[in-house]
């Protein structure tokens, strides 16, 4: 009888250890970023001025104004001449650095790819999966997730949104609309309290 109870104790202890190890191993990849504030993008902190950004990135140049809201002043969009465009091993075609009221507040990265005669999965579509997995690892499950499919010519739109520490993250895949080109868009935007 004593050996049975000792054996039962060992089995119970072993089962508890397996559960404990499973929890720690399976959830060890959960990011330390969840719940923490995101300070900026790469070397630029949110809120730095254009002048400060140019001191960090000497190759930063102005490209265009964008007026999103008639009540607010236009945003200034900058690019870098030597931008490598790689975010979590996904190579984007362009990375835009947005400033409003001389404060850095947003990045937008875009990847364009084309459908060809032998294309089963485009670069943008494959990169969607990679970026979605990276963002889930870093920030948890998205706050919003949707996928829309059109029946004619199969236009697909997939989107995921996160909010992490005052920063809004948006990942969007747009299938081809008329042309044989699709795109992947990744955006991070810092919104101070009280701003929509």
């Amino acid at each position: 009888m004593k050996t049975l109870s000792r054996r039962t104790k060992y089995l119970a202890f072993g089962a508890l250890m397996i559960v404990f190890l499973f929890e720690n191993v399976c959830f060890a990849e959960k990011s330390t970023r969840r719940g923490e504030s995101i300070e900026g993008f790469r070397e630029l902190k949110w809120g730095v001025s254009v002048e400060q950004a140019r001191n960090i990135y000497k190759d930063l140049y102005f490209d265009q104004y964008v007026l999103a809201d008639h009540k607010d002043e236009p945003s200034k969009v900058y690019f870098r001449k030597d931008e490598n465009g790689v975010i979590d091993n996904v190579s984007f075609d362009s990375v835009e650095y947005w400033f409003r009221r001389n404060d850095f507040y947003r990045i937008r990265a875009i990847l364009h790819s084309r459908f060809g005669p032998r294309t089963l999965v485009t670069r943008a579509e494959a990169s969607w999966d990679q970026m979605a997995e990276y963002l889930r690892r870093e920030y948890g499950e998205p706050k919003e997730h949707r996928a829309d499919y059109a029946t004619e010519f199969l236009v697909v739109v997939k989107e995921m949104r996160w909010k992490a520490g005052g920063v809004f993250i948006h990942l969007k895949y747009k299938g081809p609309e008329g042309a044989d080109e699709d795109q992947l868009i990744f955006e991070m935007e810092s919104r101070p309290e009280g701003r929509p």
Side-chain angles (χ1 to χ4, degrees):
M1 202 67 150
K2 239 180 181 180
T3 51
L4 184 60
S5 74
R6 183 180 278 169
R7 185 176 183 194
T8 305
K9 285 180 186 177
Y10 283 128
L11 287 174
F13 178 75
L16 284 172
M17 288 306 294
I18 289 171
V19 168
F20 177 76
L21 287 172
F22 178 78
E23 260 187 15
N24 286 318
V25 170
C26 289
F27 300 111
E29 288 195 36
K30 284 185 179 179
S31 172
T32 57
R33 288 186 178 239
R34 293 182 195 179
E36 292 181 15
S37 66
I38 301 169
E39 300 295 321
F41 178 74
R42 294 186 179 151
E43 287 83 30
L44 292 187
K45 300 242 187 258
W46 303 122
V48 300
S49 67
V50 172
E51 294 75 25
Q52 291 169 318
R54 281 190 170 146
N55 286 334
I56 295 168
Y57 293 136
K58 306 287 186 206
D59 60 342
L60 193 69
Y61 67 92
F62 173 75
D63 183 67
Q64 64 180 323
Y65 288 103
V66 175
L67 183 61
D69 183 2
H70 296 289
K71 298 174 188 173
D72 209 349
E73 68 179 64
S75 296
K76 295 178 182 177
V77 180
Y78 287 78
F79 289 90
R80 291 183 55 208
K81 291 178 186 170
D82 298 326
E83 177 69 59
N84 71 7
V86 176
I87 302 171
D88 191 56
N89 295 323
V90 173
S91 188
F92 287 87
D93 298 320
S94 65
V95 177
E96 305 167 358
Y97 297 84
W98 290 53
F99 292 79
R100 183 186 296 137
R101 287 187 225 90
N102 203 32
D103 292 336
F104 173 56
Y105 77 99
R106 180 182 190 193
I107 67 100
R108 184 173 193 235
I110 302 173
L111 185 159
H112 298 275
S113 59
R114 296 188 69 79
F115 286 88
R118 292 179 196 86
T119 306
L120 295 177
V121 177
T122 65
R123 206 166 55 98
E125 194 171 6
S127 296
W128 159 270
D129 293 332
Q130 186 174 342
M131 284 298 294
E133 180 56 34
Y134 162 70
L135 292 168
R136 279 188 171 114
R137 243 184 2 257
E138 290 294 310
Y139 308 110
E141 286 302 311
K143 188 173 117 179
E144 295 176 37
H145 181 213
R146 77 178 183 102
D148 297 326
Y149 300 89
T151 55
E152 200 171 315
F153 300 113
L154 192 67
V155 174
V156 178
V157 175
K158 297 189 269 189
E159 289 186 271
M160 290 183 177
R161 296 177 193 275
W162 288 261
K163 182 180 177 187
V167 174
F168 291 82
I169 301 165
H170 182 211
L171 183 66
K172 182 176 185 176
Y173 169 78
K174 283 179 62 176
E177 296 178 272
D180 290 336
E181 183 177 284
D182 61 351
Q183 59 181 252
L184 179 67
I185 302 166
F186 170 65
E187 297 174 298
M188 292 180 81
E189 183 175 334
S190 173
R191 294 185 191 163
E193 292 300 317
R195 276 196 75 92

